[in-house]
Amino acid sequence: MNAPAKMSSVMAAAVRLSAKADAIEAVAPVIERRALALADAGDAIVEVRAAAVNPSDAKAAIGMMPYAVFPRTPGRDFAGIVVDGPAALIGKEVFGSSGDLGIRRDGTHASHLVVEAAALIEKPAGLTLAEAAGIGVPFVTAQEGFRRSGMPKPGETVLILGLNGKVGQAAAQIASWQGARVIGVVRKDEPYVGHAQGAVTVINSCRQDVAGTVRELTGGKGADIVYNTVGEPYYEAGTNALATLGRQIFIAALKQTVPFDIFAFYRGRHTYVGVDTLSLSSLATADILRDLVPGFGSGALRPFPILPGATYPLERARDAYIAVLGSSRDRLVLLPNG
């Protein structure tokens, strides 16, 4: 690939939200054009070839993320080509993610992005740019939960509540990559729809007692790690399924409070870990993604498939925001440069 010429500024097209909407159907993004330039020697400009659309992008548009500022350009995940910045990066295909981008500052739903050069990660050769853009938030969330609670180990059992959600799929991949046994919970008759290095045992919570089944499958021990991607609806089942010295990870909630049995907590010597990736800077997020690059490079981890019907131009960003909070289970991606 030939490196593009060094430039001092670029004219970018960006999705712009001027104010909070009352509902996702009322979101009214516009496309603005403006000049971007490097303000810091440590920054780079990326020509964004793909930018994932996450539920948090849409929720921030309707005021569900208290950190979000207006006006701003949404978008946390991206992949593209470096067109300005440190000489060693010019022309490189890179990807990244952030808790700041698209929330506290202008994000990735644009043709170009100014971001810290140290936050850029070179794309593994076997991935397309659209696939790399789709790694972001789900895999960062899954990995951060495991890093904080202690990475899964061979011989351990990981129970994933909300298996077929994007974070659940990512957590299953990472746990099996690390050699752990994976059990996942769904709410209807369906198989695990993601990729994993080993078998994934699926429990249908509408037909089976989750905690009881987990203990049967583990010889009475329970799960060493419970990854709760849903929150309160699975809180009791997850807690009852925990092994002694078990760790439970929480990333979301439908209700703010749960009935907390403090006796069971300390007698089981349990550890609870809360994860909020919106608190992570671009640099902190890049550190987490770097842990995953070897897995994607070797094929042990696989990106989400990006289906043709799940890609949108910038001009249809509103449709993507509605879809990500609706019935779509695809990984949705904007293609800002065609």
Side-chain angles (χ1 to χ4, degrees):
M1 179 184 298
N2 294 325
K6 188 83 169 177
M7 60 181 68
S8 58
S9 67
V10 63
M11 187 61 66
V15 175
R16 200 72 174 161
L17 298 177
S18 61
K20 175 180 76 72
D22 294 329
I24 195 61
E25 293 77 12
V27 170
V30 298
I31 305 297
E32 288 188 356
R33 295 189 63 83
R34 51 189 167 149
L36 294 181
L38 296 177
D40 189 287
D43 287 347
I45 296 179
V46 177
E47 180 185 289
V48 179
R49 295 295 181 87
V53 178
N54 294 290
S56 58
D57 300 324
K59 289 177 181 179
I62 56 176
M64 295 180 66
M65 301 296 175
Y67 317 117
V69 300
F70 293 92
R72 75 177 191 290
T73 296
R76 300 173 61 189
D77 300 335
F78 67 94
I81 299 172
V82 180
V83 296
D84 200 0
L89 288 178
I90 300 295
K92 295 284 189 182
E93 293 186 332
V94 297
F95 74 106
S97 182
S98 177
D100 282 336
L101 289 173
I103 304 293
R104 298 176 184 85
R105 58 175 171 146
D106 288 337
T108 66
H109 294 173
S111 65
H112 295 79
L113 171 72
V114 177
V115 67
E116 299 94 332
L120 300 177
I121 301 164
E122 192 163 349
K123 178 185 72 64
L127 277 61
T128 68
L129 284 166
E131 289 171 338
I135 291 171
V137 169
F139 275 92
V140 167
T141 305
Q143 178 71 354
E144 176 66 354
F146 286 139
R147 293 205 326 173
R148 295 267 318 284
S149 65
M151 292 299 295
K153 301 177 182 64
E156 288 192 322
T157 297
V158 177
L159 174 66
I160 300 171
L161 305 172
L163 174 66
N164 280 333
K166 292 296 180 285
V167 176
Q169 291 182 43
Q173 285 206 49
I174 294 168
S176 65
W177 177 39
Q178 297 299 315
R181 178 186 187 182
V182 178
I183 302 172
V185 175
V186 297
R187 289 191 170 188
K188 58 184 178 181
D189 288 324
E190 62 180 9
Y192 172 55
V193 299
H195 162 74
Q197 289 284 93
V200 175
T201 303
V202 179
I203 296 173
N204 180 347
S205 63
C206 290
R207 295 177 178 270
Q208 299 166 276
D209 173 68
V210 172
T213 303
V214 170
R215 294 202 178 274
E216 288 176 10
L217 291 169
T218 58
K221 176 185 176 183
D224 300 286
I225 300 176
V226 172
Y227 208 123
N228 189 335
T229 73
V230 179
E232 178 271 335
Y234 281 138
Y235 173 78
E236 184 175 357
T239 299
N240 290 340
L242 268 178
T244 300
L245 296 175
R247 302 96 80 189
Q248 186 164 193
I249 304 162
F250 300 94
I251 67 166
L254 300 180
K255 294 182 180 179
Q256 188 172 358
T257 60
V258 294
F260 179 64
D261 185 342
I262 197 168
F263 288 161
F265 174 70
Y266 72 71
R267 288 170 180 167
R269 290 175 284 168
H270 294 156
T271 299
Y272 287 177
V273 172
V275 174
D276 178 11
T277 58
L278 290 177
S279 68
L280 300 172
S281 68
S282 299
L283 297 176
T285 303
D287 287 340
I288 298 168
L289 285 172
R290 288 189 184 96
D291 288 345
L292 301 173
V293 166
F296 286 105
S298 69
L301 300 178
R302 295 183 188 173
F304 299 108
I306 308 300
L307 304 178
T311 62
Y312 299 76
L314 282 187
E315 292 75 15
R316 292 187 57 210
R318 177 180 179 273
D319 294 339
Y321 300 156
I322 292 173
V324 80
L325 289 189
S327 59
S328 177
R329 298 183 72 173
D330 297 328
R331 191 66 168 128
L332 306 181
V333 173
L334 298 182
L335 303 177
N337 286 285

